[in-house]
Amino acid sequence: MSDNTAQAEPELIQLLTPDGELRQHPDYPLEIDAQQLRELYRDLVLVRRIDTEAVALQRQGELGLWASLLGQEAAQVGSGRALHPNDVAFPSYREHGVAWCFGIDPVQLLGVFRGVTNGGWDPNEHGLQLYTIVIGSQTLHATGYAMGVQRDGALGEDGTAVISYFGDGATSQGDTSEAFNFAAVNNAPVVFFCQNNQWAISEPLERQSRVPLCQRASGFGFPGVRIDGNDVLASLAVTRAALRNAREGQGPMLIEAFTYRMGAHTTNDDPTRYRASAELEEWQNKDPISRLRTYLVNEQIADDAFLSEVEAEADQLGERLRTQCRQLPDPEPLDIFHEVYAEPNSHIDRQRADFADYLASFEDVGTEGVR
């Protein structure tokens, strides 16, 4: 990068250091008790186990694909636990930790990547919208939803805030810039949560942006901050404040969670072909689970019995996921036309009828044989 375009690095908001030391931040005080800290640790361990099991299931041919969150657990769990029951989240396809916080059964996530469901859960029931594969498009969906919340007058202390999750690669998409602009000029109650995991598949961050990502917000007229994305407490405190501000009518905010994708982009990817092992080792020393465990043990908030209990629960969860994933039923072929639109649609009805006729043409094979 040339000197005339180099930008000063923004402050990294951090409450829990990689060595497990707790700090206070004047702008983001965090009130949290021992039980809540233990629950956060449990979340992190179980979410990582979900991810580990899913990768293994894909390698065994039980899933078509899996997008690992390894290394990003703290960013997702911290922000997910900051949400209120009325809040609504718009994820990409890697927010398994956020889904966990919303109470989504991880078997439903596996169903999506096994290809046996078109969605996996009811967004109206959980407040978590469906996974989005198109990069960055969910930022516009979130902004539009937030503008609707605003026009419905559903703000205030018990109102609704909206959060959109996306990665650093999505910031290069026009959709994201349009969402930023719409959110700014409408003062929409939306929080943009960017997990900067350093890599857009094989493209490093320095080839994606000439400025720190959080500073892009200022160009659109709203605040942006960078947090330590491997610090679950910073993620919780800053997201909690951003959501509160949104509910109070103070408009959008961008949170850049500075983290690292310790696994592959997806199970179709081989990161050893484009990044150095030393880089991975550096970030492994900043592991989000290790630092919280160190703090809990040093402060005598957690003992060996608690840690063993969480590990045992993770083992039970892993066993359930392996069993129930393999038991997921195949859908009926015509199910693909269900719930495409909320209301009846003549084009979909015609396509369904044509496909039904096609299936019926296999007189000797039958519907089961052409799946």
Side-chain angles (χ1 to χ4, degrees), residues 143-315:
T143 300
Y145 192 97
M147 291 166 61
V149 168
Q150 183 185 55
R151 283 152 178 73
D152 288 342
L155 297 177
E157 184 177 355
D158 298 323
T160 296
V162 181
I163 186 168
S164 177
Y165 289 91
F166 52 96
D168 45 287
T171 63
S172 298
Q173 294 288 334
D175 282 2
T176 303
S177 293
E178 292 170 18
F180 284 2
N181 194 52
F182 269 100
V185 298
N186 286 283
N187 204 42
V190 58
V191 175
F192 296 106
F193 194 94
C194 174
Q195 293 171 82
N196 177 3
N197 68 16
Q198 314 291 320
W199 290 91
I201 309 183
S202 58
E203 198 77 353
L205 181 63
E206 61 266 23
R207 297 187 63 181
Q208 300 179 57
S209 178
R210 305 303 297 267
V211 300
L213 297 182
C214 66
Q215 294 181 355
R216 289 191 176 186
S218 64
F220 293 91
F222 59 90
V225 296
R226 174 181 282 183
I227 67 170
D228 181 345
N230 286 17
D231 174 0
V232 68
L233 301 185
S235 181
L236 174 65
V238 176
T239 308
R240 183 181 285 172
L243 291 169
R244 181 180 60 247
N245 292 342
R247 291 189 207 95
E248 293 176 349
Q250 298 183 40
M253 180 172 173
L254 171 62
I255 299 173
E256 177 193 1
F258 199 73
T259 180
Y260 191 77
R261 191 195 75 210
M262 292 202 289
H265 173 68
T266 70
T267 45
N268 278 350
D269 174 42
D270 177 9
T272 64
R273 296 173 64 87
Y274 55 79
R275 70 182 185 190
S277 58
E279 181 180 291
L280 175 61
E281 293 171 4
E282 176 187 348
W283 280 91
Q284 286 173 330
N285 292 328
K286 303 175 183 177
D287 186 89
I289 299 179
S290 297
R291 71 173 69 181
L292 182 57
R293 181 171 57 240
T294 298
Y295 174 71
L296 295 180
V297 171
N298 288 347
E299 297 298 318
Q300 299 183 335
I301 296 172
D303 55 17
D304 289 343
F306 169 77
L307 298 177
S308 297
E309 179 183 322
V310 173
E311 288 301 322
E313 185 178 4
D315 290 342

Side-chain angles (χ1 to χ4, degrees), residues 13-186:
I13 299 172
Q14 183 183 73
L15 301 185
L16 190 64
T17 72
D19 295 328
E21 296 180 2
L22 186 63
R23 296 174 174 173
Q24 294 296 327
H25 192 283
D27 297 329
Y28 300 100
L30 180 65
E31 295 183 4
I32 188 167
D33 60 29
Q35 179 60 27
Q36 291 171 323
L37 286 165
R38 286 191 289 267
E39 289 173 355
L40 286 176
Y41 177 79
R42 172 181 175 272
D43 285 337
L44 295 175
V45 172
L46 297 185
V47 166
R48 178 166 292 184
R49 176 56 67 92
I50 293 168
D51 190 70
T52 303
E53 294 293 342
V55 171
L57 285 165
Q58 196 282 329
R59 298 307 188 204
Q60 296 163 19
E62 299 294 342
L63 303 180
L65 185 75
W66 182 256
S68 173
L69 61 60
L70 183 62
Q72 300 176 219
E73 298 90 347
Q76 296 192 17
V77 168
S79 60
R81 289 304 181 196
L83 292 158
H84 286 186
N86 290 337
D87 295 338
V88 178
F90 288 76
S92 63
Y93 50 79
R94 201 187 299 276
E95 273 69 65
H96 318 312
V98 178
W100 171 262
C101 294
F102 270 90
I104 303 295
D105 188 331
V107 176
Q108 293 178 289
L109 302 178
L110 299 179
V112 174
F113 288 91
R114 190 177 172 88
V116 298
T117 173
N118 291 332
W121 57 88
D122 182 352
N124 289 326
E125 177 184 354
H126 294 280
L128 178 69
Q129 301 298 309
L130 300 181
Y131 276 6
T132 304
I133 303 299
V134 179
I135 304 300
S137 64
Q138 73 277 14
T139 59
L140 281 171
H141 304 160
T143 300
Y145 192 97
M147 291 166 61
V149 168
Q150 183 185 55
R151 283 152 178 73
D152 288 342
L155 297 177
E157 184 177 355
D158 298 323
T160 296
V162 181
I163 186 168
S164 177
Y165 289 91
F166 52 96
D168 45 287
T171 63
S172 298
Q173 294 288 334
D175 282 2
T176 303
S177 293
E178 292 170 18
F180 284 2
N181 194 52
F182 269 100
V185 298
N186 286 283

